[in-house]
Each structure stands twice: as C-alpha cells, then as structure tokens.
Amino acid sequence: MLSPMDDYPVHQIAEPIRHVATSDRNFYDRYYFNCYPTESPDVFLIVGLGQYPNLGVMDAFAVLRRGDDHIVARMSKALGADRTDTTVGPLRIEVLEGLQKLRVVLEPGSEYDLSFDITFDATIPAALEPKHFRRQLERVTFDTSRFLQTGTWTGSLTVDGEDFAIDPKTWRGNRDRSWGVRPVGEAEPQGRRAVDGIQNFFWIYAVMQFDEFTISVIMQEDEQGRRIVEEAMRVWPDEARDNEWLGRPEHELTFCPDTRDVTGAR
C-alpha cells in the first residue's frame, strides 16, 4: 500500500508510510483548530480532523457556537493508502507552509448552515509539549506527542446565510497537532479493563494568546490527584528566543455543592 509520501526520505520504520509502528487500534493522527473574533465573543468555531490508520477511518467535524446555538457538521470516510489526502466529504485541510500556514475549508452543503474558507497564519513557532504517557492495567493507554501554535485567521465564514469577513487584525485562534496512542472512543471489550480502565480523570489545557507572547498551561491528574503531565510555558514569536518555563502550574476549582460541576476556576 504505497502512497506519494513514500517517495520522500521520511520513513521512521521499515514499512510504507501507510503503516504506523504499532498495531494498537487506538493510534491516531489529528488536527485541531479554533477561530474567534476578538471584538465579538458570540461566535466561536472549532474544527478537527483525525486519521485512525489501524481502524481504516478518517473523521472530521466543524462546530460553530453563535450565542446559544451550535451548528455542527460531521463527516467520515474510509482511510485510503494516501495519508496526505486530508479531505473528508466537504471538509479539507491544506498545508500551505509547514508549521506556519494552513488552509481549512468547509464547502457549502444542504445538511448544515455553515461554510468557510479560512487560512491560519502562525504568530509563534510550533511549540512541542511534554510527552504524554500513561500505563493502565499493564497496557499503554497514552503515548502521544503534540505541538501547539497561536495565530491569526484570514478568509470568509458563512453562518445561516450571514457572511463574516475574517480579518487577521481581529480574528485569532490556536491550533494543535497530536499523534500517537490514546483512547479513540470505541468501547473496550467486556472484562476487567472495561470496568477498571479509568481514563483521564482531570484535565486542564489552556492556551492564552497575548500580543507579545503565548502562554500554554497543561495539567492532568489521576483519580488520586497525582500529576501525570504538566506544563507552564511562555512562547515568544522570535524563534531565536527560547521558550520560557514558568514553574509548576496550580489550580483552584470551585464546585457546585455535592456535584462535580465546576462553577469557577483560578
């Protein structure tokens, strides 16, 4: 099962690019984007696309929040041999310049009142996060890498017949790319793992874009409050300037009494 990428010297294992290094069904390779206007908090767009080589599937979605409404588009298809093909039905992602500029398109359709053609332009270098690894009941359940970027958006967005001009002076967002092994949604087979296999119990992932820099905060804790992965990092636009470690991140959460519903956080 060769693909055009096999013509490039990028192989990591003694297999075609189509085949990943593990046969774990939970191996994935994903894009995530968000897009919002700084002057109007009523509109917020999220887009994602994931490939699952050992399941033979590629999924994608777009969801836009406008006021109290959510408009959602979902699509899925069989994953072919060419993993550089990042088109799923009406949605596609184009890498115009690696680690800098990407185009994200959702063509108009009759099943949803949402379409867009927008281009992300990074304002900081791609920042690699700490490796995320967890073993549960002797099996590796998390073994992932991810990088993040903040940037600006350019293009156009249509919501229920209303057109928005996406101006990079006022539209911002962040994106990440992650890949590896993590639970992908299918239920575990019956047995002990299906009962005792607790997944991420507590997770905070906050990316904050300022005019001069970006701050990324990550905290994951298990069911006993032990840290599994953490990060507090300031990323500067200047590639010659090292990312700045800000120390151990902490959190204070306020819960609704007798529930796990969070009403506030610091």
Side-chain angles (χ1 to χ4, degrees):
M1 296 287 286
L2 294 174
S3 72
M5 281 297 292
D6 286 301
D7 242 348
Y8 294 88
V10 296
H11 295 86
Q12 302 295 305
I13 60 174
E15 292 279 2
I17 290 292
R18 173 80 169 95
H19 301 145
V20 296
T22 174
S23 60
D24 193 315
R25 67 174 185 164
N26 288 329
F27 185 91
Y28 76 103
D29 212 337
R30 290 182 186 153
Y31 292 90
Y32 166 87
F33 301 89
N34 64 44
C35 173
Y36 55 87
T38 56
E39 298 177 347
S40 172
D42 291 336
V43 177
F44 195 93
L45 174 68
I46 298 177
V47 182
L49 182 148
Q51 293 185 350
Y52 308 93
N54 295 329
L55 297 176
V57 173
M58 179 159 57
D59 293 333
F61 75 91
V63 56
L64 183 129
R65 178 184 184 272
R66 183 179 58 170
D68 292 330
D69 295 330
H70 285 75
I71 299 175
V72 181
R74 298 184 180 94
M75 54 284 306
S76 181
K77 75 172 187 179
L79 180 62
D82 184 3
R83 292 184 58 198
T84 65
D85 176 13
T86 50
T87 298
V88 189
L91 191 145
R92 69 181 185 273
I93 295 174
E94 302 174 11
V95 179
L96 304 179
E97 183 181 345
L99 301 183
Q100 180 61 44
K101 187 175 294 188
L102 296 92
R103 182 186 181 198
V104 186
V105 179
L106 178 66
E107 301 289 354
S110 59
E111 298 180 358
Y112 43 84
D113 299 317
L114 175 66
S115 62
F116 48 81
D117 186 342
I118 52 179
T119 298
F120 176 87
D121 195 5
T123 54
I124 63 168
L128 186 65
E129 299 173 3
K131 190 71 178 291
H132 190 176
F133 183 89
R134 191 176 189 192
R135 190 186 298 273
Q136 294 171 283
L137 297 178
E138 312 311 322
R139 176 176 159 195
V140 174
T141 54
F142 280 82
D143 186 9
T144 68
S145 292
R146 177 171 51 221
F147 67 78
L148 70 90
Q149 280 186 301
T150 53
T152 61
W153 288 96
T154 305
S156 60
L157 169 72
T158 300
V159 186
D160 196 18
E162 181 180 359
D163 296 327
F164 294 85
I166 309 301
D167 187 331
K169 294 180 180 179
T170 55
W171 286 74
R172 293 187 177 185
N174 61 271
R175 76 174 187 110
D176 67 55
R177 281 278 292 112
S178 63
W179 61 96
V181 172
R182 66 184 294 179
V184 299
E186 290 191 351
E188 288 283 346
Q190 291 184 350
R192 183 183 173 193
R193 181 169 300 282
V195 177
D196 296 342
I198 298 174
Q199 303 301 331
N200 285 351
F201 185 80
F202 179 82
W203 174 253
I204 289 179
Y205 184 81
V207 180
M208 294 160 277
Q209 182 178 10
F210 299 92
D211 290 336
E212 296 84 10
F213 51 78
T214 291
I215 289 179
S216 170
V217 176
I218 304 169
M219 284 175 275
Q220 186 195 348
E221 298 172 0
D222 68 11
E223 62 277 11
Q224 299 186 47
R226 295 172 297 193
R227 286 287 171 91
I228 297 171
V229 64
E230 65 181 14
E231 176 80 294
M233 174 175 59
R234 189 199 320 252
V235 185
W236 302 92
D238 184 359
E239 293 191 32
R241 191 169 184 176
D242 291 338
N243 296 340
E244 180 182 356
W245 182 63
L246 301 177
R248 176 183 168 89
E250 301 290 353
H251 60 80
E252 296 177 10
L253 302 182
T254 303
F255 293 88
C256 181
D258 300 322
T259 77
R260 290 177 58 190
D261 296 332
V262 176
T263 59
R266 177 173 177 269

